[in-house]
Amino acid sequence: MSGSESIRPVIGLTTYLQRAQTGVWDVTASFLPGIYVEGVTLAGGIATLLPPQPVDQVIVDRVLDTLDGLVITGGKDVDPAAYGHRPHPSTDEPARDRDAWEFALLRGALARRLPVLGICRGAQVLNVALGGTLHQHLPDVVGHTRHQAGNAVFTTSSVRTVPGTRLAALIGESSEAQCYHHQAIDRLGDGLLVSARDAVDGVVEAVELDSARHPWVLGVQWHPEERLDDLRLFAGVVEAARAHAGERI
């Protein structure tokens, strides 16, 4: 085994701040479901959590110095002001601290050519950071609520990948994806390619940067952490991060 093959890369996972209760405590906490961490560790990476904090370039650079890859996780809707839209009545009250933190981390990661995986909200952050826009409420566009049934119930969508994309190389022609999103990508951000669509209604379900522009950047609208029997997406970002770490040795 070569030196680079033995590296366990460090993968940063963004988190959110919210009220949490545990035992006698009811406090604001940095929160992320443990299955995200499990996905990274099962795929061979080392997970480290990145809670929202003041956006200062020195802080961002110091954090990114410690990482071999970045996962932008799911959560609240991105503030529509970030892409020049007024909020829809169904759009979440924005978590501007998280938005600012993730945009700063993402831009720094792209500049450093760090591998990036965006999950659900993370795919939307990627699109908006690169100048794209979002459909704020999919039922207004597609006429159904299948992408987000509500009450924390994930629905299964058949997604079809675009031949020749990084995603197609990872998961093949199609996949059964666990979805929970009422928003989706509208106008593509600069340099992004569509790499998967819903097989029924054509909603964009994955985007990526061309490999000529960046070694490994992928955003999926679904939740791979909900299917840890299929680690291909986590393995993809971990392997890309391992290669990036090996280049720095």
Side-chain angles (χ1 to χ4, degrees), residues 1-248:
M1 180 180 293
S2 70
S4 62
E5 290 173 340
S6 65
I7 293 170
R8 289 181 66 88
V10 177
I11 309 296
L13 294 149
T14 61
T15 77
Y16 37 104
L17 299 176
Q18 68 176 49
R19 301 289 295 180
Q21 291 181 316
T22 176
V24 298
W25 304 106
D26 182 358
V27 297
T28 299
S30 174
F31 184 83
L32 186 71
I35 48 177
Y36 283 96
V37 175
E38 191 174 357
V40 168
T41 57
L42 286 173
I46 300 169
T48 188
L49 301 185
L50 306 175
Q53 51 198 288
V55 175
D56 175 284
Q57 195 58 49
V58 172
I59 295 173
V60 171
D61 286 342
R62 288 287 288 135
V63 168
L64 292 173
D65 283 345
T66 70
L67 302 181
D68 303 307
L70 175 67
V71 176
I72 302 177
T73 61
K76 274 190 168 188
D77 300 332
V78 177
D79 186 355
Y83 49 95
H85 287 194
R86 294 180 179 274
H88 186 280
S90 68
T91 298
D92 295 331
E93 186 68 24
R96 294 187 178 90
D97 58 344
R98 184 181 181 189
D99 286 354
W101 177 237
E102 290 185 343
F103 283 135
L105 287 175
L106 175 59
R107 289 173 178 133
L110 294 178
R112 291 164 177 255
R113 300 174 70 78
L114 280 178
V116 176
L117 174 62
I119 294 177
C120 198
R121 167 192 159 91
Q124 297 168 5
V125 168
L126 173 63
N127 191 60
V128 172
L130 293 174
T133 63
L134 305 177
H135 293 298
Q136 287 191 58
H137 194 54
L138 267 179
D140 293 347
V141 179
V142 297
H144 61 75
T145 60
R146 179 171 55 82
H147 293 279
Q148 188 185 83
N151 296 317
V153 176
F154 286 84
T155 55
T156 302
S157 293
S158 295
V159 299
R160 297 198 64 82
T161 60
V162 175
T165 59
R166 177 180 293 112
L167 181 63
L170 277 174
I171 69 172
E173 294 182 359
S174 63
S175 183
E176 298 300 300
Q178 299 297 293
C179 289
Y180 199 85
H181 61 98
H182 82 109
Q183 299 194 340
I185 289 168
D186 182 10
R187 188 184 73 242
L188 282 176
D190 182 38
L192 287 175
L193 309 170
V194 174
S195 49
R197 292 184 182 272
D198 184 277
V200 176
D201 56 33
V203 167
V204 174
E205 288 288 346
V207 292
E208 60 187 62
L209 279 177
D210 187 277
S211 58
R213 176 166 176 162
H214 192 289
W216 209 99
V217 175
L218 174 62
V220 298
Q221 191 62 78
W222 65 89
H223 286 267
E225 78 281 3
E226 292 293 324
R227 284 284 309 275
L228 293 183
D229 58 326
D230 180 356
L231 289 172
R232 289 176 294 180
L233 285 171
F234 284 110
V237 70
V238 167
E239 286 305 311
R242 179 177 286 118
H244 179 82
E247 293 171 358
R248 299 194 299 181

